[in-house]
Amino acid sequence: MGIRAGIVVTGTEVLTGRVADRNGPWLADRLLELGIELAHITICGDRPADIAAQLAFLAAQDVELIVTSGGLGPTADDLTVDTVAGFCGRKMVLDTALEERITAILRKLVTRMPDLDFDAVRAANRKQAVVPEGATVLEPVGTAPGVVVTPLAAPTPTIVVLPGPPRELQAMWPAALATDAVQAAIAGRVHYRQDTIRMFGPAESALAEALRLAEAEIPGFAELEITTCLRRAELEIVTRYEPAAADSYDRLRAALCDRFGDAVYSTDGATVDDQVAALLAGRWAATAESCTGGLVAGRLTDRPGSSAYLAGGVVSYSNAAKSELLGVDPELIETHGAVSEQVAEAMAVGALRRFGADIAVSTTGIAGPGGGSAEKPVGTVCFCVAAPDQPPVLRTVRLPGNRSDVRERSTTIAMHLLRRALAD
């Protein structure tokens, strides 16, 4: 077994759901990159007894490293450092040099707030300069320093204490990783590989059956740590393995490609958004959306430099907007209904003309309750991908779920239709 680690996310605001945890997943990815096996992520409030209980639990799981986030501020409920010190058997001491560095940071901050009492602010933040004796101090990114604390007695693991704001935690992580204490704790790590396969179309049950067959047929299958996830209406298969099991993974990838064919659209981890962006290089796209409310345009622009290939988009809910903004013939809407392949095609062609694009994708459907009929129930969505001098690509589907589910799945379908049209 390689090096194991645990993460403790502290903060009553996170525990109660008022603030979403972004630190746990981010740290999990960083540990995985290092070849460290993540045993657990726990979340607890700001109560010292609960923090100590999480530390004790993880220590009992034979982890060599614990990373905590949150509880480093100047207020009375920020008690993570004190609790970690007690857990490691170390007393708290004032680091006067650190106090001066924090004071210098505060002076810069209060220049923007001339009415603030600097002495009161300094007194409140003095608490942040009290650290466990013998700890390695991680320089503040905001005003809160982090610390790396080693135990006075084995087998307590080394503990990295990081601030709660993700911007500060992420910026401080390289410094924590570079410390002698952390390097010593993770010295025995195994350099795992991780590969991702993405599929669009097959059901989870079909994938489960394929993996059962692979388990029986592929030597060394047990050495592959496989995680499957249904994400954005796609199946994501993430496999983590030691280099010695590379042949077993290659056999698994080949087996899935043979079984599911074109439904396997990515074996290198690239998302459909990545692939569409690459295929659009040098071309302009446009969007015309109704039920997806601009989410397709959002997917097309959610990356650096993406505005270089999105010519523009129209979100048109009302029939009048479809006619006025996209040039859809009102009689076409009257004859076939706003949710129809005919109107979807007219919307896509209208977006092509309006923005002078090379390709356009449209969506029109019934995502929410109260708008369906026996012929076109809620979840009915029509799509069109149009390009000059090419026949349109049309699709009508009926999607399960609530409004959010229908919109998310519709957006994914639109991206895949766009990908296939660009690749042809």
Side-chain angles (χ1 to χ4, degrees), residues 37-266:
E37 180 182 349
L38 178 61
H40 298 275
I41 297 178
T42 70
I43 300 176
C44 67
D46 294 306
R47 296 172 292 273
D50 292 336
I51 298 172
Q54 305 311 307
L55 298 175
F57 166 74
L58 290 174
Q61 309 308 305
D62 296 324
V63 302
E64 285 81 11
L65 182 71
I66 296 175
V67 184
T68 75
S69 73
L72 306 191
T75 57
D77 62 335
D78 291 312
L79 297 169
T80 302
V81 176
D82 302 65
T83 306
V84 168
F87 186 77
C88 291
R90 295 187 177 274
K91 65 180 181 179
M92 297 288 284
V93 295
L94 175 65
D95 185 329
T96 55
L98 176 60
E99 183 182 16
E100 289 306 313
R101 296 198 295 275
I102 294 174
T103 299
I105 295 171
L106 293 171
R107 287 189 189 281
K108 294 178 181 178
L109 294 176
V110 299
T111 56
R112 307 170 195 168
M113 298 171 282
D115 296 331
L116 204 62
D117 183 343
F118 178 74
D119 290 334
V121 173
R122 178 177 180 176
N125 285 77
R126 189 171 191 261
K127 169 179 175 290
Q128 294 175 301
V130 180
V131 297
E133 188 174 36
T136 301
V137 174
L138 305 172
E139 289 302 306
V141 175
T143 62
V147 291
V148 178
V149 189
T150 55
L152 282 177
T156 304
T158 296
I159 302 177
V160 178
V161 184
L162 299 175
R167 179 186 67 84
E168 296 181 25
L169 177 143
Q170 293 174 20
M172 195 177 288
W173 175 249
L177 186 61
T179 62
D180 291 340
V182 172
Q183 286 298 308
I186 66 175
R189 68 189 187 275
V190 175
H191 292 279
Y192 290 96
R193 295 182 182 177
Q194 179 172 295
D195 286 291
T196 301
I197 295 172
R198 302 182 193 278
M199 299 194 296
F200 178 67
E204 284 185 281
S205 57
L207 174 60
E209 176 62 20
L211 292 176
R212 281 193 292 271
L213 293 173
E215 183 177 12
E217 296 171 357
I218 296 176
F221 183 89
E223 303 304 314
L224 305 177
E225 183 181 319
I226 302 171
T227 303
T228 64
C229 178
L230 180 62
R231 186 192 305 274
R232 283 183 163 182
E234 300 175 340
L235 286 173
E236 179 182 271
I237 305 98
V238 179
T239 306
R240 185 170 180 248
Y241 55 96
E242 294 185 26
D247 182 65
S248 298
Y249 177 74
D250 290 343
R251 289 170 179 261
L252 172 64
R253 180 181 57 210
L256 292 177
C257 289
D258 287 345
R259 184 178 180 92
F260 295 106
D262 291 343
V264 178
Y265 76 87
S266 171

Side-chain angles (χ1 to χ4, degrees), residues 284-302:
W284 290 101
T287 61
E289 303 179 62
S290 178
C291 64
T292 49
L295 294 176
V296 177
R299 293 271 292 265
L300 286 169
T301 56
D302 190 20

